[in-house]
Amino acid sequence: MMWYVRRGEREVGPLGEDALRALVGTGQITADTPLWRDGLLAWTAALELPGVFGPRAVAPLTPGLPLATASLPPSSPSIPVAPDSGAPEASRPQVDAVPFEPATPWRRYWARLIDIMVSMFLVTVMTGAIRPSLTTQLNAAVGTRWVLLLLLLPFALTLDSLIYWALGNTPGKAVAGIKVLTEDGRRLLRAPAYLGRNFGVYFFGLGLGLPLISLFTVIYGYRRAAAGDASTWDRFAGSRVYALSDDTLRTWLAAGLYVLAMAAAFALGLHAQHKRSTYAATHAPAPVLQQELIQAANGVNAATPKMIDRITRLDGARVGPGSLFTYEYTLTNMNLRQLSPVTLATLRWRLSAHVRQAVCSGTALKPMLRTGTTVRFDYHDRNGQGLVLVSVSSADCGT
């Protein structure tokens, strides 16, 4: 069932059931918004049509009209319509001109995230094969890593275009059950048109990957898609994103797959860090280096405990096992028992990121890292309970 929506002098459509409900859910269709669909003689307020604001239902056809006649557009010559009835113009395409209905915004959003994740992974692998030194920067400080990812994003979008050209669809859109087609919904885009569309997404959808700008561009793109309008990049490419089926489970499937993949990537990162720490713990340093590390720890212990700032106390340092050098800290304002699991997880993540960035951007510990030593920062709360253990090696800083 395809719908048209009137907004002032502008008509939007045809829209499928999912697109119509998306407009209702975002408040863009109100009780007095004029709607028209196959079987109605004139524009009708949304409140008067069963199923628009409640469960899906088919509005009854006009009494006395044969089914074949009632299914024609209201401007058909076989149905007399008053000039001021406001029915859709006869020049509009028939409701069955497009074989599919436009994809809903969230379905497109999760599909795009999966596509970016897949193409970024492939580009990173290829970059590592060509120039391994670049991929080591992914373990560097947060700022350096972010700049590298921004530089790789255009290459990932180009690769995404090649995948579409070769396979006829991209992985994320295939999972979500959607596809980018020409505006009439009957043909695939040519490779140059899809590449241009992707770079339209890069500029007008992702905001060049810049966090603050991309926030506004994503919101703007969502509002256009929810209203049933073509996005900026689709207008340039003469394309639309169509749903190959109305199965809403596809949206949840795409979202779940993306979240699962990101969780797996995070777990692999933690596993790799643990492996590096285990390696450092089981490989003893050279005798000379061992002696230097012991002397460094003794120097720290001679001056501790001391407050680093108003809430952080350095309690001492220790060497081993293997080539590990550990600083011990206490956060005097923290009580582990009073922290919720979410707060604790956020604290650990932020503290780990801050420590790694400080170590990698500073110079004090660079000589120790270059010797193959892994430096650890062991944080406890005021009761001696462990909060977080952060390990930093030369690989984390790209050195």
Side-chain angles (χ1 to χ4, degrees):
M1 185 68 66
M2 307 302 287
W3 295 82
Y4 289 94
V5 180
R6 169 165 281 180
R7 294 179 174 172
E9 299 299 322
R10 189 164 65 97
E11 297 173 10
V12 178
L15 304 175
E17 291 284 347
D18 289 339
L20 184 75
R21 288 182 174 272
L23 292 180
V24 173
T26 55
Q28 298 180 65
I29 290 181
T30 58
D32 56 352
T33 300
L35 303 178
W36 181 84
R37 67 160 180 81
D38 191 19
L40 298 177
L41 287 179
W43 293 98
T44 306
L47 187 61
E48 300 177 17
L49 296 172
V52 174
F53 290 99
R56 296 189 183 188
V58 178
L61 298 176
T62 304
L65 286 178
L67 179 61
T69 304
S71 64
L72 295 173
S75 55
S76 170
S78 63
I79 301 177
V81 181
D84 59 348
S85 64
E89 301 174 0
S91 60
R92 294 196 64 86
Q94 298 296 317
V95 294
D96 60 350
V98 177
F100 305 109
E101 63 182 60
T104 54
W106 281 109
R107 208 164 171 179
R108 296 174 58 174
Y109 175 77
W110 292 113
R112 173 58 68 178
L113 287 183
I114 293 176
D115 285 338
I116 290 178
M117 177 181 64
V118 171
S119 55
M120 284 291 286
F121 172 76
L122 294 176
V123 165
T124 302
V125 170
M126 291 187 291
T127 302
I130 297 171
R131 192 169 180 182
S133 60
L134 283 178
T135 56
T136 60
Q137 298 300 315
L138 293 174
N139 294 319
V142 175
T144 303
R145 186 187 314 141
W146 186 254
V147 170
L148 179 61
L149 292 176
L150 287 182
L151 294 176
L152 291 179
L153 183 56
F155 296 98
L157 292 172
T158 302
L159 180 60
D160 180 76
S161 302
L162 294 176
I163 294 174
Y164 175 86
W165 173 75
L167 303 179
N169 207 353
T170 56
K173 294 179 180 62
V175 170
I178 63 179
K179 183 177 286 191
V180 177
L181 300 171
T182 53
E183 199 165 6
D184 60 7
R186 301 184 184 279
R187 298 183 307 278
L188 292 173
L189 287 185
R190 296 182 180 273
Y194 192 86
L195 179 62
R197 180 184 184 276
N198 260 8
F199 276 91
V201 173
Y202 178 58
F203 285 101
F204 302 107
L206 301 177
L208 301 176
L210 303 175
L212 185 59
I213 297 177
S214 63
L215 175 63
F216 290 102
T217 56
V218 166
I219 292 175
Y220 177 73
Y222 171 82
R223 292 180 66 86
R224 287 194 64 86
D229 297 334
S231 61
T232 305
W233 48 92
D234 279 322
R235 292 206 310 272
F236 287 161
S239 62
R240 291 297 294 269
V241 183
Y242 290 105
L244 305 184
S245 69
D246 61 356
D247 186 4
T248 55
L249 288 178
R250 289 290 194 129
T251 304
W252 290 102
L253 176 62
L257 181 61
Y258 177 77
V259 172
L260 183 63
M262 293 302 294
F266 181 73
L268 286 174
L270 291 179
H271 178 70
Q273 179 184 340
H274 175 71
K275 292 283 288 184
R276 288 195 297 268
S277 297
T278 303
Y279 177 86
T282 55
H283 289 72
V288 174
L289 176 58
Q290 178 79 13
Q291 187 61 35
E292 291 177 351
L293 293 178
I294 292 174
Q295 291 177 357
N298 290 338
V300 171
N301 293 330
T304 56
K306 68 175 181 180
M307 297 298 296
I308 304 300
D309 54 41
R310 64 183 186 84
I311 63 170
T312 309
R313 185 180 70 223
L314 175 61
D315 296 320
R318 66 179 187 272
V319 178
S323 55
L324 293 177
F325 189 94
T326 305
Y327 290 97
E328 297 177 337
Y329 292 93
T330 296
L331 298 181
T332 57
N333 68 330
M334 290 291 174
N335 186 347
L336 186 61
R337 297 188 183 92
Q338 296 177 350
L339 301 179
S340 68
V342 174
T343 302
L344 181 59
T346 303
L347 172 65
R348 286 172 172 167
W349 181 82
R350 289 182 175 177
L351 193 56
S352 298
H354 173 74
V355 168
R356 289 194 180 93
Q357 183 175 14
V359 172
C360 294
S361 60
T363 58
L365 296 177
K366 288 293 179 65
M368 187 179 294
L369 294 176
R370 292 193 187 101
T371 63
T373 302
T374 297
V375 182
R376 297 198 304 188
F377 300 82
D378 192 5
Y379 286 87
H380 297 80
D381 71 355
R382 64 192 183 197
N383 298 317
Q385 298 293 316
L387 282 174
V388 62
L389 181 63
V390 185
S391 298
V392 183
S393 66
S394 58
D396 293 315
C397 298
T399 58

PDB file of all heavy atoms in Angstrom, residues 293-312:
ATOM      1  N   LEU A 293      66.365  -1.204  35.668  1.00  0.00           N
ATOM      2  CA  LEU A 293      64.970  -1.126  36.095  1.00  0.00           C
ATOM      3  C   LEU A 293      64.857  -1.150  37.612  1.00  0.00           C
ATOM      4  O   LEU A 293      64.040  -0.429  38.205  1.00  0.00           O
ATOM      5  CB  LEU A 293      64.173  -2.288  35.487  1.00  0.00           C
ATOM      6  CG  LEU A 293      63.997  -2.284  33.965  1.00  0.00           C
ATOM      7  CD1 LEU A 293      63.220  -3.520  33.514  1.00  0.00           C
ATOM      8  CD2 LEU A 293      63.279  -1.024  33.502  1.00  0.00           C
ATOM      9  N   ILE A 294      65.672  -1.971  38.262  1.00  0.00           N
ATOM     10  CA  ILE A 294      65.657  -2.030  39.729  1.00  0.00           C
ATOM     11  C   ILE A 294      66.073  -0.693  40.312  1.00  0.00           C
ATOM     12  O   ILE A 294      65.475  -0.201  41.285  1.00  0.00           O
ATOM     13  CB  ILE A 294      66.566  -3.172  40.223  1.00  0.00           C
ATOM     14  CG1 ILE A 294      65.957  -4.528  39.826  1.00  0.00           C
ATOM     15  CG2 ILE A 294      66.762  -3.089  41.728  1.00  0.00           C
ATOM     16  CD1 ILE A 294      66.857  -5.713  40.149  1.00  0.00           C
ATOM     17  N   GLN A 295      67.112  -0.091  39.731  1.00  0.00           N
ATOM     18  CA  GLN A 295      67.541   1.211  40.229  1.00  0.00           C
ATOM     19  C   GLN A 295      66.451   2.268  40.047  1.00  0.00           C
ATOM     20  O   GLN A 295      66.239   3.119  40.918  1.00  0.00           O
ATOM     21  CB  GLN A 295      68.817   1.631  39.500  1.00  0.00           C
ATOM     22  CG  GLN A 295      70.038   0.803  39.855  1.00  0.00           C
ATOM     23  CD  GLN A 295      71.265   1.212  39.053  1.00  0.00           C
ATOM     24  OE1 GLN A 295      71.205   2.085  38.192  1.00  0.00           O
ATOM     25  NE2 GLN A 295      72.394   0.561  39.342  1.00  0.00           N
ATOM     26  N   ALA A 296      65.743   2.206  38.904  1.00  0.00           N
ATOM     27  CA  ALA A 296      64.660   3.161  38.665  1.00  0.00           C
ATOM     28  C   ALA A 296      63.546   2.974  39.697  1.00  0.00           C
ATOM     29  O   ALA A 296      63.001   3.949  40.227  1.00  0.00           O
ATOM     30  CB  ALA A 296      64.114   2.989  37.256  1.00  0.00           C
ATOM     31  N   ALA A 297      63.204   1.717  39.998  1.00  0.00           N
ATOM     32  CA  ALA A 297      62.161   1.452  40.991  1.00  0.00           C
ATOM     33  C   ALA A 297      62.589   1.920  42.374  1.00  0.00           C
ATOM     34  O   ALA A 297      61.791   2.499  43.128  1.00  0.00           O
ATOM     35  CB  ALA A 297      61.831  -0.038  41.011  1.00  0.00           C
ATOM     36  N   ASN A 298      63.851   1.705  42.707  1.00  0.00           N
ATOM     37  CA  ASN A 298      64.347   2.167  44.008  1.00  0.00           C
ATOM     38  C   ASN A 298      64.277   3.679  44.118  1.00  0.00           C
ATOM     39  O   ASN A 298      63.967   4.234  45.182  1.00  0.00           O
ATOM     40  CB  ASN A 298      65.779   1.688  44.216  1.00  0.00           C
ATOM     41  CG  ASN A 298      65.859   0.182  44.419  1.00  0.00           C
ATOM     42  OD1 ASN A 298      64.866  -0.453  44.807  1.00  0.00           O
ATOM     43  ND2 ASN A 298      67.026  -0.406  44.171  1.00  0.00           N
ATOM     44  N   GLY A 299      64.586   4.367  43.009  1.00  0.00           N
ATOM     45  CA  GLY A 299      64.496   5.827  43.021  1.00  0.00           C
ATOM     46  C   GLY A 299      63.080   6.309  43.249  1.00  0.00           C
ATOM     47  O   GLY A 299      62.851   7.287  43.979  1.00  0.00           O
ATOM     48  N   VAL A 300      62.110   5.627  42.639  1.00  0.00           N
ATOM     49  CA  VAL A 300      60.708   6.009  42.836  1.00  0.00           C
ATOM     50  C   VAL A 300      60.284   5.729  44.270  1.00  0.00           C
ATOM     51  O   VAL A 300      59.648   6.575  44.933  1.00  0.00           O
ATOM     52  CB  VAL A 300      59.801   5.244  41.843  1.00  0.00           C
ATOM     53  CG1 VAL A 300      58.324   5.474  42.178  1.00  0.00           C
ATOM     54  CG2 VAL A 300      60.089   5.662  40.405  1.00  0.00           C
ATOM     55  N   ASN A 301      60.661   4.561  44.803  1.00  0.00           N
ATOM     56  CA  ASN A 301      60.231   4.173  46.149  1.00  0.00           C
ATOM     57  C   ASN A 301      60.837   5.062  47.224  1.00  0.00           C
ATOM     58  O   ASN A 301      60.252   5.243  48.291  1.00  0.00           O
ATOM     59  CB  ASN A 301      60.601   2.713  46.407  1.00  0.00           C
ATOM     60  CG  ASN A 301      59.808   1.765  45.526  1.00  0.00           C
ATOM     61  OD1 ASN A 301      58.675   2.059  45.158  1.00  0.00           O
ATOM     62  ND2 ASN A 301      60.402   0.623  45.174  1.00  0.00           N
ATOM     63  N   ALA A 302      62.021   5.621  46.937  1.00  0.00           N
ATOM     64  CA  ALA A 302      62.660   6.495  47.927  1.00  0.00           C
ATOM     65  C   ALA A 302      61.892   7.795  48.111  1.00  0.00           C
ATOM     66  O   ALA A 302      62.014   8.450  49.159  1.00  0.00           O
ATOM     67  CB  ALA A 302      64.102   6.784  47.498  1.00  0.00           C
ATOM     68  N   ALA A 303      61.123   8.190  47.105  1.00  0.00           N
ATOM     69  CA  ALA A 303      60.408   9.470  47.167  1.00  0.00           C
ATOM     70  C   ALA A 303      58.906   9.302  47.372  1.00  0.00           C
ATOM     71  O   ALA A 303      58.157  10.277  47.269  1.00  0.00           O
ATOM     72  CB  ALA A 303      60.663  10.258  45.887  1.00  0.00           C
ATOM     73  N   THR A 304      58.468   8.097  47.623  1.00  0.00           N
ATOM     74  CA  THR A 304      57.035   7.861  47.784  1.00  0.00           C
ATOM     75  C   THR A 304      56.735   7.371  49.194  1.00  0.00           C
ATOM     76  O   THR A 304      57.633   6.921  49.904  1.00  0.00           O
ATOM     77  CB  THR A 304      56.554   6.801  46.763  1.00  0.00           C
ATOM     78  OG1 THR A 304      57.327   5.605  46.932  1.00  0.00           O
ATOM     79  CG2 THR A 304      56.689   7.319  45.353  1.00  0.00           C
ATOM     80  N   PRO A 305      55.465   7.443  49.616  1.00  0.00           N
ATOM     81  CA  PRO A 305      54.311   7.926  48.835  1.00  0.00           C
ATOM     82  C   PRO A 305      54.283   9.445  48.726  1.00  0.00           C
ATOM     83  O   PRO A 305      54.729  10.144  49.624  1.00  0.00           O
ATOM     84  CB  PRO A 305      53.108   7.423  49.633  1.00  0.00           C
ATOM     85  CG  PRO A 305      53.621   7.352  51.044  1.00  0.00           C
ATOM     86  CD  PRO A 305      55.067   6.973  50.950  1.00  0.00           C
ATOM     87  N   LYS A 306      53.733   9.924  47.587  1.00  0.00           N
ATOM     88  CA  LYS A 306      53.596  11.362  47.396  1.00  0.00           C
ATOM     89  C   LYS A 306      52.384  11.628  46.512  1.00  0.00           C
ATOM     90  O   LYS A 306      52.019  10.812  45.658  1.00  0.00           O
ATOM     91  CB  LYS A 306      54.849  11.974  46.785  1.00  0.00           C
ATOM     92  CG  LYS A 306      55.127  11.563  45.358  1.00  0.00           C
ATOM     93  CD  LYS A 306      56.332  12.312  44.800  1.00  0.00           C
ATOM     94  CE  LYS A 306      56.612  11.927  43.345  1.00  0.00           C
ATOM     95  NZ  LYS A 306      57.775  12.656  42.814  1.00  0.00           N
ATOM     96  N   MET A 307      51.761  12.772  46.733  1.00  0.00           N
ATOM     97  CA  MET A 307      50.571  13.139  45.966  1.00  0.00           C
ATOM     98  C   MET A 307      50.999  13.716  44.619  1.00  0.00           C
ATOM     99  O   MET A 307      51.800  14.648  44.553  1.00  0.00           O
ATOM    100  CB  MET A 307      49.721  14.154  46.724  1.00  0.00           C
ATOM    101  CG  MET A 307      49.164  13.635  48.049  1.00  0.00           C
ATOM    102  SD  MET A 307      48.051  12.213  47.863  1.00  0.00           S
ATOM    103  CE  MET A 307      46.692  12.935  46.929  1.00  0.00           C
ATOM    104  N   ILE A 308      50.446  13.148  43.542  1.00  0.00           N
ATOM    105  CA  ILE A 308      50.694  13.664  42.198  1.00  0.00           C
ATOM    106  C   ILE A 308      49.780  14.836  41.915  1.00  0.00           C
ATOM    107  O   ILE A 308      50.167  15.827  41.295  1.00  0.00           O
ATOM    108  CB  ILE A 308      50.483  12.559  41.150  1.00  0.00           C
ATOM    109  CG1 ILE A 308      51.365  11.355  41.473  1.00  0.00           C
ATOM    110  CG2 ILE A 308      50.766  13.066  39.754  1.00  0.00           C
ATOM    111  CD1 ILE A 308      52.842  11.669  41.488  1.00  0.00           C
ATOM    112  N   ASP A 309      48.542  14.712  42.346  1.00  0.00           N
ATOM    113  CA  ASP A 309      47.582  15.820  42.321  1.00  0.00           C
ATOM    114  C   ASP A 309      46.695  15.650  43.542  1.00  0.00           C
ATOM    115  O   ASP A 309      47.005  14.838  44.430  1.00  0.00           O
ATOM    116  CB  ASP A 309      46.778  15.849  41.008  1.00  0.00           C
ATOM    117  CG  ASP A 309      46.094  14.520  40.704  1.00  0.00           C
ATOM    118  OD1 ASP A 309      45.558  13.902  41.643  1.00  0.00           O
ATOM    119  OD2 ASP A 309      46.098  14.089  39.535  1.00  0.00           O
ATOM    120  N   ARG A 310      45.604  16.364  43.612  1.00  0.00           N
ATOM    121  CA  ARG A 310      44.821  16.366  44.847  1.00  0.00           C
ATOM    122  C   ARG A 310      44.091  15.043  45.110  1.00  0.00           C
ATOM    123  O   ARG A 310      43.644  14.803  46.236  1.00  0.00           O
ATOM    124  CB  ARG A 310      43.812  17.513  44.836  1.00  0.00           C
ATOM    125  CG  ARG A 310      42.761  17.420  43.773  1.00  0.00           C
ATOM    126  CD  ARG A 310      41.852  18.649  43.789  1.00  0.00           C
ATOM    127  NE  ARG A 310      40.748  18.527  42.857  1.00  0.00           N
ATOM    128  CZ  ARG A 310      39.611  17.911  43.111  1.00  0.00           C
ATOM    129  NH1 ARG A 310      39.422  17.363  44.304  1.00  0.00           N
ATOM    130  NH2 ARG A 310      38.659  17.837  42.208  1.00  0.00           N
ATOM    131  N   ILE A 311      43.968  14.165  44.106  1.00  0.00           N
ATOM    132  CA  ILE A 311      43.268  12.893  44.337  1.00  0.00           C
ATOM    133  C   ILE A 311      44.125  11.673  43.995  1.00  0.00           C
ATOM    134  O   ILE A 311      43.706  10.547  44.240  1.00  0.00           O
ATOM    135  CB  ILE A 311      41.956  12.830  43.524  1.00  0.00           C
ATOM    136  CG1 ILE A 311      42.244  12.863  42.020  1.00  0.00           C
ATOM    137  CG2 ILE A 311      41.004  13.944  43.915  1.00  0.00           C
ATOM    138  CD1 ILE A 311      41.029  12.559  41.160  1.00  0.00           C
ATOM    139  N   THR A 312      45.314  11.863  43.410  1.00  0.00           N
ATOM    140  CA  THR A 312      46.141  10.743  42.961  1.00  0.00           C
ATOM    141  C   THR A 312      47.421  10.674  43.771  1.00  0.00           C
ATOM    142  O   THR A 312      48.184  11.644  43.830  1.00  0.00           O
ATOM    143  CB  THR A 312      46.494  10.873  41.465  1.00  0.00           C
ATOM    144  OG1 THR A 312      45.298  11.097  40.716  1.00  0.00           O
ATOM    145  CG2 THR A 312      47.188   9.613  40.959  1.00  0.00           C
TER     146      THR A 312
END
